Amino acid sequence: MKKLILIMAVLAFAAAAYAEQGQVVYREGTQKSFKGPAEYFTGEVTVDMLFPPNETARYSGAYVTFQPGARTNWHWHPAGQHMIVTDGIALTGTRDGKVIEFKEGETVWCPVGVDHWHGATPDAPMTHLVISGSKDGKAVVWKEKVTDEQYMKR
């Protein structure tokens, strides 16, 4: 019983200490916004960070906008990634040659270790919200460019 009381006291103290920190607001324009580097993307891509990972929630969020024909390199996520299309139609492909289209309001989960790419269709821009997990400080492992042939396989 003493052990249970001690555990409850420690949990209450930790909760009170955490509550004192309060909520954190990331105001518009306070996070990084940058062009997707050519070494990881084909075409014009803009990344607008929304929030960084922290010690409790080891994931970050960003809006990523792809101009027509733009796409990522092949890559995978050490802690997975959710992609939610907020505007347009997205494409995502895997090494088995499958390319999936998903539209505004639809979500794709990219499991840990699955090589994939994502981007816009050839004729229209697309924006998606990505929520990327982080493991050992790493959210993505980049690989080679996606060829035009791989991209056009739909």
Side-chain angles (χ1 to χ4, degrees):
M1 186 64 156
K2 284 183 183 180
K3 211 177 214 181
L4 178 59
I5 292 171
L6 179 61
I7 291 170
M8 296 299 287
V10 168
L11 288 175
F13 176 76
Y18 187 74
E20 285 179 22
Q21 292 176 355
Q23 297 184 77
V24 176
V25 177
Y26 299 100
R27 300 280 181 205
E28 186 175 354
T30 62
Q31 300 301 298
K32 291 189 300 185
S33 182
F34 55 93
K35 295 286 183 198
E39 72 180 293
Y40 303 132
F41 297 91
T42 296
E44 189 178 328
V45 177
T46 303
V47 180
D48 296 307
M49 296 302 300
L50 296 171
F51 58 88
N54 61 43
E55 31 181 85
T56 304
R58 291 183 174 86
Y59 51 85
S60 61
Y63 284 121
V64 185
T65 301
F66 296 79
Q67 294 308 310
R71 58 197 180 261
T72 66
N73 281 14
W74 286 103
H75 64 282
W76 64 277
H77 301 280
Q81 180 185 65
H82 279 97
M83 299 183 293
I84 305 123
V85 177
T86 60
D87 188 46
I89 297 173
L91 301 175
T92 184
T94 50
R95 292 284 185 179
D96 60 7
K98 291 181 185 170
V99 177
I100 300 169
E101 279 191 15
F102 58 114
K103 62 183 186 205
E104 187 174 331
E106 295 181 328
T107 302
V108 169
W109 164 245
C110 301
V112 174
V114 173
D115 272 359
H116 68 282
W117 60 267
H118 35 104
T121 61
D123 50 352
M126 178 276 293
T127 299
H128 62 23
L129 166 64
V130 292
I131 300 173
S132 304
S134 182
K135 184 175 180 183
D136 300 325
K138 199 164 187 91
V140 62
V141 175
W142 291 106
K143 296 187 173 185
E144 78 276 9
K145 295 269 184 208
V146 172
T147 66
D148 289 342
E149 181 182 335
Q150 291 167 324
Y151 171 71
M152 295 305 289
K153 195 174 199 175
R154 298 190 347 203

